[in-house]
Amino acid sequence: MKLIIQIPCYNEEQQLPATLADLPREVPGFDTVEWLIIDDGSVDRTIDVAREGGVDHVVKLTNNKGLAAGFQAGLDACLKLGADVIVNTDADNQYSAKDIPKLVEPIVAGRADMVVGDRETDKIEHFSPLKKRLQSLGSWVVRQASDTDVPDTTSGFRAYNREAAIQMAVVSKYTYTLETIIQAGKLLVATDHVAIGTNPKTRESRLFPSMGSYVRRNAVAISRIYTQYEPLKVFLRLAAVLALLALVPWVRFFVAYVQGDGAGHVQSLIFGAVLFNAAVVVATLGVLGDLLYAQRIMSQRIFERVRRIELQLGVPPSHYEPGAKDTGQPPTTGARAGSQRTGDHEAIKL
């Protein structure tokens, strides 16, 4: 059994040494524990610091793609490097690495495919009361949307077994945390959670420049992701609201008509008709969205099968470079990657 701990990084030269120093090299239930960083276009010495810290693998994205893209690239590389379980943690050492054995235990025991670390945010001292309430509210909304019981849905400290990782397909450009939980709830992925510890805050979040931005981005992300998986339900509910609103001006017109003043309230009749037409259009969008959802599921299954075929064929991870030591896995970035591909091509021709 191989465990790979992946760390998405963007200009983490200062924070990464402490994070790597806490990572384990032995975890119960695993023969091998390896470390991998995803360098998301850093312009500092992140990669050099990672190699100095003993990282085994590096996924080097040419420019900054965002956290979600980096997370997906890391999952892909970990699978192609033979990981049976993948743990994702942050480069700022927010999460206590000593809880990694606790995090992977439900997977090792066969009780879960995906485990999310619960920070118990109401106990974190540097979280303001407002942020704690927003965290609680947001997690509740995601639980309702995903049909899971994960209490801390924005936690990036999580573990995936091989099957769960194969099924994950992040399309968001912003963050993976909410999308993967909703996706897991809609797919054949058993989720669980465990309480984990956190370390003192080392820097401000780079994802959320302000509390308003945090609320706005998460609200948009939840709405967008949920609508992708439940379009018919979302649009039919909106259509029902519009249809009910259409009744208000119609009732007003009817009352005026009975009282002999209908000619003076024709605008209510027209306004109600506009609202009802809007309800019909929104309901139609729901039907179209449901048809597109069926196509999305088919695309998801094709993606999963392509990934399984790649793993069986031994396709190397993209944007890959060895870490501190030679891993035997050839690089797939830069000039060395080009020479490797040329050699492979010549071998095939021979």
Side-chain angles (χ1 to χ4, degrees):
M1 288 271 287
K2 177 188 284 191
L3 168 67
I4 296 184
I5 303 171
Q6 73 167 32
I7 310 173
C9 299
Y10 178 62
N11 293 338
E12 296 290 357
E13 175 185 352
Q14 301 298 323
Q15 312 296 331
L16 196 54
T19 303
L20 296 177
D22 288 346
L23 292 184
R25 279 297 185 181
E26 294 183 358
V27 174
F30 295 92
D31 304 309
T32 306
V33 178
E34 297 176 353
W35 305 344
L36 176 146
I37 69 157
I38 306 104
D39 178 64
D40 192 17
S42 298
V43 295
D44 63 359
R45 295 184 63 253
T46 293
I47 293 180
D48 295 332
V49 169
R51 288 196 170 108
E52 292 167 4
V55 164
D56 301 282
H57 312 285
V58 175
V59 173
K60 182 182 179 182
L61 303 183
T62 309
N63 62 340
N64 184 247
K65 303 293 186 182
L67 180 59
F71 171 82
Q72 184 70 63
L75 281 188
D76 181 73
C78 289
L79 287 169
K80 290 175 179 177
L81 291 168
D84 296 291
V85 176
I86 303 166
V87 166
N88 185 87
T89 188
D90 285 357
D92 62 359
N93 206 29
Q94 174 185 174
Y95 309 108
S96 176
K98 68 180 182 181
D99 287 326
I100 288 178
K102 183 193 299 186
L103 186 71
V104 300
E105 191 276 331
I107 293 178
V108 174
R111 300 195 305 272
D113 303 309
M114 169 181 169
V115 183
V116 180
D118 176 15
R119 294 170 292 178
E120 299 181 305
T121 54
D122 57 325
K123 299 179 181 178
I124 299 179
E125 294 182 359
H126 64 264
F127 276 18
S128 66
L130 175 60
K131 187 170 183 178
K132 291 178 181 179
R133 286 194 290 269
L134 289 174
Q135 287 275 3
S136 177
L137 175 61
S139 293
W140 178 83
V141 172
V142 174
R143 285 196 297 273
Q144 304 311 305
S146 63
D147 298 322
T148 65
D149 60 353
V150 177
D152 185 9
T153 56
T154 58
S155 170
F157 193 49
R158 46 185 69 188
Y160 301 83
N161 68 8
R162 193 169 180 82
E163 284 300 312
I166 286 174
Q167 295 183 61
M168 290 297 109
V170 180
V171 298
S172 170
K173 295 182 179 180
Y174 172 57
T175 182
Y176 63 89
T177 54
L178 305 178
E179 180 174 359
T180 51
I181 289 180
I182 295 176
Q183 192 174 101
K186 303 301 180 182
L187 301 175
L188 299 177
V189 176
T191 61
D192 198 357
H193 60 273
V194 297
I196 53 101
T198 57
N199 296 315
K201 183 178 179 180
T202 58
R203 61 166 171 77
E204 295 297 329
S205 171
R206 294 173 179 169
L207 287 176
F208 311 109
S210 65
M211 187 63 69
S213 174
Y214 171 82
V215 174
R216 183 179 67 256
R217 289 183 178 183
N218 275 351
V220 170
I222 294 171
S223 301
R224 178 174 174 270
I225 297 165
Y226 182 70
T227 303
Q228 287 179 348
Y229 285 94
E230 297 287 355
L232 188 61
K233 184 184 295 185
V234 170
F235 283 103
L236 285 185
R237 287 178 177 176
L238 288 175
V241 171
L242 290 172
L244 289 174
L245 290 175
L247 291 177
V248 176
W250 280 351
V251 169
R252 184 171 183 268
F253 172 80
F254 179 75
V255 171
Y257 180 80
V258 170
Q259 293 175 347
D261 192 24
H265 294 82
V266 175
Q267 65 272 20
S268 296
L269 187 64
I270 296 173
F271 183 53
V274 170
L275 288 175
F276 184 77
N277 285 337
V280 173
V281 171
V282 171
T284 303
L285 290 176
V287 174
L288 293 175
D290 193 54
L291 295 175
L292 290 174
Y293 169 71
Q295 295 300 313
R296 175 183 172 83
I297 293 299
M298 292 301 296
S299 299
Q300 175 80 26
R301 291 174 180 171
I302 293 172
F303 168 81
E304 180 183 336
R305 292 190 179 189
V306 169
R307 180 173 267 178
R308 292 182 188 278
I309 291 171
E310 287 185 343
L311 295 176
Q312 290 178 353
L313 294 177
V315 176
S318 60
H319 305 285
Y320 178 82
E321 293 183 3
K325 300 178 181 178
D326 184 14
T327 59
Q329 177 71 45
T332 53
T333 60
R336 290 178 297 172
S339 63
Q340 178 68 32
R341 286 194 296 270
T342 301
D344 291 344
H345 181 66
E346 293 298 328
I348 290 174
K349 288 196 299 182
L350 291 175

